[in-house]
Every structure is written in C-alpha cells, then in structure tokens.
Amino acid sequence: VLEMQDASGAFGIWGPSDGDLWLSSYVTDFLLRAKEANFTVDPRALKSALDRLSNFVAYAQDFETGGEERAYAIYVLARAGRAPVGDLRYFIDGRIDRFSTALSLAHLGAAASLTGDKPRAEKAFAAAMRKLDAADTNVFRHDYGTALRDRAAVMTLASETKVVAASTPQLVDVLGKAYQSKQYTSTQEQAWMLLAARSV
C-alpha cells in the first residue's frame, strides 16, 4: 500500500503519481483502522498522509456540489484526532445541501460525533438517511461509489458512532434489498459490506 504514496503524502491508484484525494482518504482510513487494531503502521507514512489531507481541507476552494473528497478527509482527520472543527461546523451549518452523496453526509456526521458535537452529528446523519433513498443511476462516480457501497458505508459509520442507533434495523433492511438487486459487487461494495457487518 505504501508504495502507492507520493512525496506529498497522497496515494495513487496504480502508483505514486496523480494522487487521488478521495482514494487518499480511503487509504488513510485503512491505515488508521489497522493501527487501531494493533497492526504495525509506519508512523511517518501515516503522518504524511494525514498532513496531505489537512492541507487539502485547509486550502481547497469552496464548491457548489459534490464535496465527497472534502467530507471524507474531514472524517479521517477527526478519526486521527486532528479534526478541522471550524470547517466541519461551516459545512454542516451552511453548506450541507451542497454535498451530493449520502456517504459524504455520513462522513460529516461521523466527524462531528468524533468531536463530541452531537447536534451537528444528528443533523448530518439525518441528511444522509434522506439521501439514501435517492435513485441509483449506476453511472461512474469519481468516489468509486454506488448506492450499495454508500448504504453499507452509512450503516458502518452510523453503527460505529451510535448517532442513529435506532435506525440500524432500517439500514440493515435497506442494505439487504440493495444487495439482492446486484448481479455482482465491486471491491468497494465488498469492503464496506464487511465493515458494516462488523460494525453491527
């Protein structure tokens, strides 16, 4: 995995070039989870990855729609104890409608929960739950996402943070129906379904 990291701390999909910011958050999330599970993780590589995400959040321009990379980076930084609290509050209070996916909203909610901000966590997760019902267009998404992946990831984050614990049975049902409609699953779908199963 670390062979895919470039000098800036970002990760590329085929090598240490053309760092992908959503993918960089995903890999850094994996490294943090591995460290939390007592696996050995190179501290310099992890610090470099977190520094890259922090710089991205600090210097990225505002946006009208999307926000998947930004939300994931904020969540990963919060998981590492480096949450950009001002940005997090700004996005939940004034820009929440600009985030395009249920997963990006759940990332904001989980980040707020990790910082102890229960009202904002509940607000972001409520928005994520509403967006879960949106139709799956099955078009290519730059965050490697599908409706199934997003539902599994929202269930994981909701279960881990216990912000919307009462909704877990509903999420399990929604995820099960989404899975039954698939003929095959992607790596992202499989990884997040495994995390979802573990989280509940």
Side-chain angles (χ1 to χ4, degrees), residues 57-159:
V57 171
Y59 297 107
Q61 295 181 348
D62 208 350
F63 62 94
E64 293 298 321
T65 186
E68 294 87 356
E69 300 95 342
R70 190 94 47 107
Y72 203 174
I74 289 171
Y75 164 73
V76 172
L77 290 168
R79 191 173 185 111
R82 295 177 52 173
V85 176
D87 290 296
L88 178 59
R89 291 174 178 167
Y90 170 77
F91 287 126
I92 293 176
D93 291 346
R95 294 289 188 269
I96 199 165
D97 293 335
R98 297 187 180 192
F99 288 87
S100 299
T101 66
L103 178 53
S104 59
L105 293 163
H107 276 138
L108 293 178
S113 177
L114 289 167
T115 64
D117 190 341
K118 186 176 179 184
R120 287 186 176 89
E122 290 174 342
K123 178 180 179 180
F125 269 113
M129 298 293 284
R130 289 191 298 271
K131 196 158 289 260
L132 278 179
D133 294 329
D136 184 8
T137 59
N138 285 319
V139 298
F140 174 78
R141 285 174 36 193
H142 68 278
D143 70 345
Y144 312 96
T146 62
L148 177 60
R149 191 285 305 272
D150 283 8
R151 288 168 178 163
V154 169
M155 187 168 123
T156 300
L157 296 169
S159 297

Side-chain angles (χ1 to χ4, degrees), residues 4-74:
M4 302 295 174
Q5 188 177 33
D6 67 19
S8 77
F11 291 88
I13 193 164
W14 299 117
S17 61
D18 302 321
D20 180 310
L21 286 166
W22 193 93
L23 182 67
S24 294
S25 294
Y26 180 71
V27 175
T28 309
D29 187 7
F30 161 74
L31 294 174
L32 285 171
R33 288 173 183 271
K35 182 180 176 185
E36 290 165 6
N38 297 317
F39 287 92
T40 301
V41 175
D42 183 337
R44 291 170 299 176
L46 181 56
K47 181 182 183 303
S48 179
L50 290 167
D51 288 346
R52 178 66 183 97
L53 297 182
S54 184
N55 288 334
F56 164 62
V57 171
Y59 297 107
Q61 295 181 348
D62 208 350
F63 62 94
E64 293 298 321
T65 186
E68 294 87 356
E69 300 95 342
R70 190 94 47 107
Y72 203 174
I74 289 171

